[in-house]
């Protein structure tokens, strides 16, 4: 199974900041990685798929990059609605696995 | 508009059984693979099981293999998860999720979730 390790587990940031979240895979793969945003009491929302493709309707301040074992989600100019928990998910092989999550909190 | 409506959760004793349902609408259900993803209280996301559009192939996490069975009825646009031999660690909100039409399984639509509590 491919294990996904996210860092940091939480980050405090202010509106307008740039935030970077990293996801490291226990085995390398090309681009089968997604990023989701989840707010309390709500279902996750797909932000990025195939490591760097922006899902329709998602603001362009969100971007993804990486391949192999290291992947990154960047949020440019953090907005109030971006305070949430973010998860990566590997879609390279079954069983599908998620990272442990990164909570973006208001500083 | 794509909609997924999860139902069937509740309180069940350890060792008991429960069947979850996910009613789909707004897309060609039989075309799309589907999965169940769960989230224990205060914890992260865990993929549980997946099934292809035809139902011909199924996949399971090791933690539920042999206890849970995923199935679908394409004539009713409904996804199911039969959960047997339930344990306390199965307590979670269970979401059904649609796999987007793509080479890899990414989830573009999710149900609202249904809470399963395993406790005596």
């Amino acid at each position: 199974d491919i294990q996904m390790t996210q860092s940091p587990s939480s980050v405090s940031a202010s509106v307008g900041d740039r935030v970077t979240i990293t996801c490291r895979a226990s085995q390398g793969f090309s681009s089968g990685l997604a990023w989701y945003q989840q707010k309390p009491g709500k279902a996750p929302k797909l932000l990025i798929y195939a490591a760097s493709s922006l899902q329709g309707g998602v603001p362009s301040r969100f971007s993804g990059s990486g391949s192999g074992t290291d992947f990154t989600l960047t949020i440019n100019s953090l907005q109030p609605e971006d305070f949430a928990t973010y998860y990566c998910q590997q879609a390279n092989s079954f069983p599908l696995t998620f990272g442990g999550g990164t909570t973006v909190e208001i500083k | 508009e794509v909609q997924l409506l999860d139902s069937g959760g509740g309180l069940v004793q350890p060792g008991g059984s429960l069947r979850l349902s996910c009613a789909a609408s707004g897309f060609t259900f039989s075309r799309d693979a589907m999965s169940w993803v769960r989230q224990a209280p205060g914890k992260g996301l865990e993929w549980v099981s997946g099934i292809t559009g035809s139902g011909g192939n199924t996949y399971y996490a090791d933690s539920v293999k042999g206890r849970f069975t995923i199935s679908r009825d394409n004539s009713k646009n409904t996804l199911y998860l039969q959960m047997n031999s339930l344990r306390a660690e199965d307590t979670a909100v269970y979401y059904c999720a649609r796999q987007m039409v793509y080479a890899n399984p990414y989830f573009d639509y999710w149900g609202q979730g249904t809470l399963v509590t395993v406790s005596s």
Side-chain angles (χ1 to χ4, degrees), chain A residues 35 48 51-52 54 59-65 72-76:
Chain A
W35 290 97
I48 302 284
S52 60
L54 195 66
S60 59
R61 62 181 179 273
F62 291 92
S63 64
S65 64
T72 299
L73 173 70
T74 300
I75 312 171
N76 285 303

Side-chain angles (χ1 to χ4, degrees), chain A residues 93-96, chain B residues 32-36 47-62 64-74 79-82 99 105:
Chain A
S93 62
F94 288 97
L96 307 178
Chain B
D32 293 337
M34 301 288 295
S35 277
W36 289 97
W47 175 81
V48 173
S49 182
I51 187 168
T52 52
S54 66
N57 288 292
T58 57
Y59 307 88
Y60 296 94
D62 288 345
V64 306
K65 201 173 293 182
R67 300 188 298 123
F68 290 11
T69 302
I70 191 171
S71 63
R72 63 193 298 159
D73 185 337
N74 286 344
L79 175 73
Y80 301 102
L81 185 68
Q82 177 66 44
Q99 290 176 207

Side-chain angles (χ1 to χ4, degrees), chain A residues 90-102:
Chain A
Q90 68 83 14
N92 185 71
S93 62
F94 288 97
L96 307 178
T97 45
F98 290 88
T102 296

Side-chain angles (χ1 to χ4, degrees), chain B residues 14-98:
Chain B
S17 299
L18 210 56
R19 189 177 83 156
L20 306 183
S21 299
C22 170
S25 61
F27 65 102
T28 305
F29 181 70
S30 61
R31 177 197 68 183
D32 293 337
M34 301 288 295
S35 277
W36 289 97
V37 177
R38 69 184 180 184
Q39 186 168 36
K43 302 297 184 181
L45 301 170
E46 180 187 15
W47 175 81
V48 173
S49 182
I51 187 168
T52 52
S54 66
N57 288 292
T58 57
Y59 307 88
Y60 296 94
D62 288 345
S63 58
V64 306
K65 201 173 293 182
R67 300 188 298 123
F68 290 11
T69 302
I70 191 171
S71 63
R72 63 193 298 159
D73 185 337
N74 286 344
S75 68
K76 295 182 179 179
N77 287 356
T78 303
L79 175 73
Y80 301 102
L81 185 68
Q82 177 66 44
M83 304 186 295
N84 299 330
S85 303
L86 282 161
R87 306 166 180 167
E89 54 265 36
D90 296 318
T91 294
V93 173
Y94 285 73
Y95 297 98
C96 69
R98 186 186 84 160

Side-chain angles (χ1 to χ4, degrees), chain A residues 19-42:
Chain A
V19 172
T20 300
I21 299 168
T22 298
C23 193
R24 175 161 289 176
S26 60
Q27 304 171 34
F29 50 89
S30 56
S31 64
L33 186 107
W35 290 97
Y36 299 87
Q37 176 193 69
Q38 187 180 32
K39 296 182 179 180
K42 299 294 187 181

Side-chain angles (χ1 to χ4, degrees), chain B residues 99-116:
Chain B
Q99 290 176 207
M100 63 188 292
V101 179
Y102 200 81
N104 299 82
Y106 307 113
F107 305 118
D108 61 350
Y109 286 94
W110 297 65
Q112 84 286 2
T114 186
L115 176 62
V116 172

